[in-house]
């Protein structure tokens, strides 16, 4: 039994499920409420699932890769877990708050670790109006979608949409279009971390748009408001020399 109290969480992947009983037998298993550290086994999805459960208590999460890419995970090893966690570097994540109003007037709220994204529901292009801090910055954007991404999420969907990679301590948000049609050459914007973004759907009855906070989706929206929620700080743990800011920096030179 270890001196740290661990709560092990495994994704459904066979590799993660196979590792779970071995680690539990070696280090013990506590509930997440009683643990000092949550250990996520799997891929980046397992890390994000574990982090979402930490909005209430902000306990640190240490991930070990039993998935595919594992950008947010440490190398999997069964030995020296207590020493690795005690020596780990901390990365603080500030999530985004999404408040979406649908065409029926119902409001939906959710938190996002990576990004809040809007995307068209049908073959018709989405038409969006973008306001930042109370001032309309783009009267109409015709596109497949648009997103607001955190530094932690800038290497995920945002990067796939050719958005910028943000250092973890940059105090910036990325506003990135997805397949912009008009204005065709607009590549997005960098915003202050405390920016308040409002995105209105033009003609939402004829051109329906969905919104998602990470994987939490709302359909047929009329307006979405996005801002950082600094009251919900999350902590990820990384082995020395492999911290999240180092990984993000490597991504910028990896093309």
């Amino acid at each position: 039994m270890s001196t740290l109290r661990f709560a092990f969480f495994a994704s459904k992947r066979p590799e993660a499920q196979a590792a779970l009983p071995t680690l539990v037998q070696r280090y013990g298993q506590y509930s997440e409420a009683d643990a000092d550290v949550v250990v996520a086994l799997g891929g980046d999805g397992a890390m994000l699932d574990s982090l979402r459960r930490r909005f209430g208590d902000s306990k640190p999460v240490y991930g070990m890769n039993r998935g595919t890419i594992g950008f947010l995970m440490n190398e999997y090893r069964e030995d020296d877990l207590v020493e690795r966690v005690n020596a780990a570097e901390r990365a603080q994540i500030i999530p985004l708050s999404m408040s979406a109003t649908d065409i029926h007037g119902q409001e939906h709220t959710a938190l996002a670790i990576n990004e809040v994204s809007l995307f068209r529901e049908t073959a018709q292009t989405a038409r969006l109006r973008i306001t930042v801090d109370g001032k309309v910055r783009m009267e109409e954007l015709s596109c497949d979608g648009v997103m607001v991404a955190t530094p932690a999420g800038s290497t995920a969907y945002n990067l796939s949409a050719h958005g910028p990679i943000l250092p973890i301590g940059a105090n910036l948000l990325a506003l990135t279009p997805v397949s912009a049609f008009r204005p065709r050459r607009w590549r997005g914007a960098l915003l202050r971390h405390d920016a308040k973004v409002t995105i209105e759907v033009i003609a939402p009855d004829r051109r329906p748009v969905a919104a998602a906070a990470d994987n939490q989706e709302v359909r047929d929206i009329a307006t979405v408001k996005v801002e950082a929620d600094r009251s919900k700080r999350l902590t990820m743990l990384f082995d020395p020399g492999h911290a999240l800011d180092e990984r993000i920096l490597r991504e910028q030179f990896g093309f």
Side-chain angles (χ1 to χ4, degrees):
M1 195 72 74
S2 73
T3 54
L4 282 177
R5 295 175 296 179
F6 291 116
F8 291 97
F9 164 75
S11 72
K12 294 180 180 180
R13 291 185 64 91
E15 300 91 335
Q17 290 294 318
L20 180 61
T22 301
L23 292 169
V24 167
Q25 182 177 17
R26 186 162 184 175
Y27 297 102
Q29 174 75 307
Y30 289 83
S31 68
E32 292 191 358
D34 295 329
D36 301 311
V37 178
V38 175
V39 178
L41 305 171
D44 290 344
M47 171 59 82
L48 293 175
D49 286 343
S50 297
L51 285 171
R52 289 188 192 102
R53 296 194 299 275
R54 305 276 67 79
F55 286 130
D57 58 31
S58 299
K59 289 183 179 180
V61 180
Y62 181 89
M64 287 200 287
N65 189 17
R66 293 282 81 191
T68 306
I69 298 175
F71 183 81
L72 300 176
M73 313 299 275
N74 297 288
E75 179 186 354
Y76 177 76
R77 294 201 310 269
E78 296 174 5
D79 296 334
D80 305 320
L81 181 59
V82 175
E83 291 77 9
R84 291 174 72 186
V85 169
N86 282 331
E89 300 178 14
R90 292 175 171 247
Q92 275 208 334
I93 307 299
I94 297 174
L96 296 173
S97 170
M98 178 187 79
S99 176
T101 304
D102 64 27
I103 59 176
H104 307 293
Q106 185 173 355
E107 187 171 318
H108 309 263
T109 59
L111 293 170
I113 297 168
N114 279 348
E115 75 279 318
V116 172
S117 55
L118 286 75
F119 44 93
R120 61 187 174 93
E121 295 180 17
T122 67
Q124 287 190 299
T125 301
R127 295 170 58 197
L128 309 172
R129 180 179 297 111
I130 301 175
T131 300
V132 179
D133 293 332
K135 183 173 182 177
V136 176
R137 293 294 180 179
M138 184 162 291
E139 190 63 44
E140 183 173 325
L141 171 66
S142 297
C143 58
D144 282 354
V146 71
M147 76 187 78
V148 181
T150 66
S154 67
T155 57
Y157 186 18
N158 173 73
L159 180 58
S160 297
H162 306 290
I165 297 175
L166 304 178
I168 197 66
N171 284 330
L172 293 171
L173 300 174
L175 177 63
T176 302
V178 179
S179 300
F181 180 65
R182 290 286 187 275
R184 191 183 298 274
R185 296 184 182 278
W186 188 61
R187 293 294 180 263
L190 292 176
L191 307 177
R192 286 169 49 108
H193 65 90
D194 55 357
K196 295 177 173 57
V197 181
T198 301
I199 303 171
E200 302 169 77
V201 181
I202 301 171
D205 54 335
R206 300 193 305 275
R207 297 172 180 266
V209 171
D214 291 341
N215 63 352
Q216 304 163 87
E217 182 180 329
V218 181
R219 299 181 71 82
D220 300 332
I221 62 164
T223 304
V224 174
K225 296 180 179 179
V226 183
E227 62 181 297
D229 186 347
R230 306 189 77 81
S231 69
K232 306 284 193 215
R233 296 173 184 265
L234 303 172
T235 302
M236 289 191 288
L237 301 177
F238 293 93
D239 291 334
H242 299 278
L244 185 57
D245 53 355
E246 172 63 22
R247 297 177 189 207
I248 290 175
L249 185 60
R250 287 202 304 265
E251 281 289 317
Q252 297 185 68
F253 293 90
F255 299 96

